[in-house]
Structures are given as C-alpha cells and as structure tokens.
Amino acid sequence: KQEVTQIPAALSVPEGENLVLNCSFTDSAIYNLQWFRQDPGKGLTSLLLIQSSQREQTSGRLNASLDKSSGRSTLYIAASQPGDSATYLCAVRGNTDKLIFGTGTRLQVFP
Amino acid sequence: GAGVSQSPRYKVAKRGQDVALRCDPISGHVSLFWYQQALGQGPEFLTYFQNEAQLDKSGLPSDRFFAERPEGSVSTLKIQRTQQEDSAVYLCASSPLGTSGSRGNEQFFGPGTRLTVL
C-alpha cells in the first residue's frame, strides 16, 4: 500500500529565505507526482506536476525534483515571501487514477 | 475559463440527517474524483468517475455514502444518516482525460464543501 510522508510538518522562516520541503513515498511505481498549495479554508491549487519520466519541473520561484527510485521529491521555494504562507501537499498517482496525499507541510513566512 | 465549483461551501447538519453535496467539474473533463479531508490531514480518496461510470468506489467509508454522475458532468455525493465522524471537507477534482493514456493526467480541485455534523 502506497504511503506518502512529508517533513517537516511545520516550518516558520523569515522572509527572503530559500527553503526545501520534502516528500517521500514507499512505492516507486508511480505515474506522476503533484505538489499543491492549500490556503486556510480553501481548496487545493496545483503548483507543479512531475511525470514519472521527468527529474524536475520549475515554475517561477518554485522548483520540484523527483527521484523515483529512492521514493523522494523535494519542493524548493526561492526567496520566500509572506504570501507563500500556506500548507503544501504532495500527492502521487500510481496505476490507479486516485491521488495518495501526504499530510502536508504548514509553512509560515514572516516579514 | 471556469474552474471546478462545489456547493454548498458550508453545510451544518444534525446527526442523522441526509446531505447532498454537488460538484460541477470543468466543462469537458472526463474524470471526476471525490476526496475527504479531515482536519489537519491530507485528502483521502473516496470515489472516481469516468464520464457517468463509477469505476472505483473503494474509498467510500460506509454504505451511507453514495455518489452519482448520471449525465457524465455534474456529480452529487450523498451521505445518509450523517454521523459526527463525517465532519470534514469534501473536495471534488476533475481531469481532462480518462484512464487510458492518462499517465500525465493533472487533477484540478474545487474549493470544497465543509461539512459539520452536530
């Protein structure tokens, strides 16, 4: 059974820092991995989708990497801003269509 | 274009009441998913539709939960005889493709319905 773990569970950093969020999964037979952002009381906003054949994806200040063989992904946020404060979720898709989510990293960026 | 919409956004029910939650996917999207998110947790899969066919309902927690998508667009998640443990945010997602050839299939989420059972 696929299990997804995210560390740290919470992170508080001053504005301007570069930071790394970690996601690990137990079954390397995935089709893709998706990183989401969730603001309090809101739904999920897709940030990056990495196909199983890819090593990384970039969007603006965000860079996500995937090492499928070791069951790991990292989300790198450059020059963090208070507006980046949210919960970040990673999810993997295996040979079924459903996404398996981690429990998230709650990020606070203070001015 | 319009994203995934869900209604109501908030629902308060007394224990034992039936509730119905609606999802309007992105127009033309073939696949539709329901997830349940408990407080402080990641979303957990409930059920999946490809057009009007319910292909996977393995995540539905009990027979009190029922989902339908009769015309392959709008979907309704119904919970009968609600219990306090049903309190959660119910998220709907859609994606443009069906199962075959869908390895890169990105899911787009709605804002969710927060259900509180008293």
Side-chain angles (χ1 to χ4, degrees), chain B residues 63-118:
Chain B
D63 59 7
R64 295 186 296 103
F65 287 70
F66 172 77
E68 60 183 5
R69 193 186 185 198
E71 298 179 356
S73 55
V74 171
S75 177
T76 303
L77 176 66
K78 298 179 179 178
I79 309 173
Q80 298 176 324
R81 304 181 303 281
T82 52
Q83 303 294 315
Q84 285 187 324
E85 61 264 27
D86 300 334
S87 296
V89 175
Y90 291 85
L91 295 164
C92 175
S94 69
S95 60
L97 302 176
T99 300
S100 73
S102 62
R103 298 187 70 176
N105 216 1
E106 185 173 0
Q107 294 188 21
F108 298 88
F109 282 76
T113 294
R114 181 177 297 277
L115 173 65
T116 303
V117 181
L118 303 176

Side-chain angles (χ1 to χ4, degrees), chain A residues 47-108:
Chain A
L47 298 173
L48 290 164
L49 170 70
I50 310 177
Q51 310 289 2
S52 61
S53 59
Q54 296 176 320
R55 297 283 295 182
E56 65 178 327
Q57 281 284 348
T58 299
S59 176
R61 293 182 295 107
L62 305 179
N63 175 276
S65 67
L66 174 64
D67 184 343
K68 200 174 75 161
S69 62
S70 67
R72 294 180 182 175
S73 176
T74 60
L75 178 66
Y76 176 83
I77 303 176
S80 58
Q81 304 171 357
D84 295 330
S85 299
T87 296
Y88 291 79
L89 293 156
C90 73
V92 298
R93 180 181 166 232
N95 60 2
T96 62
D97 295 279
K98 62 188 178 184
L99 293 177
I100 308 296
F101 284 85
T103 53
T105 294
R106 192 169 60 254
L107 172 66
Q108 182 179 9

Side-chain angles (χ1 to χ4, degrees), chain A residues 23-40:
Chain A
C23 172
S24 61
F25 45 95
T26 55
D27 185 350
S28 62
I30 65 169
Y31 279 6
N32 60 48
L33 183 145
Q34 215 167 334
W35 280 94
F36 295 89
R37 169 186 173 135
Q38 186 171 35
D39 293 280

Side-chain angles (χ1 to χ4, degrees), chain B residues 19-74:
Chain B
V19 298
L21 312 180
R22 177 187 169 108
C23 172
D24 283 84
I26 294 172
S27 178
H29 276 198
V30 170
S31 297
L32 185 145
F33 304 81
W34 284 98
Y35 294 85
Q36 180 190 58
Q37 186 176 23
L39 189 63
Q41 301 296 313
E44 293 192 355
F45 171 80
L46 293 177
T47 187
Y48 160 61
F49 290 87
Q50 183 172 316
N51 295 309
E52 68 278 3
Q54 189 174 20
L55 298 187
D56 186 347
K57 54 181 180 179
S58 62
L60 296 177
S62 77
D63 59 7
R64 295 186 296 103
F65 287 70
F66 172 77
E68 60 183 5
R69 193 186 185 198
E71 298 179 356
S73 55
V74 171

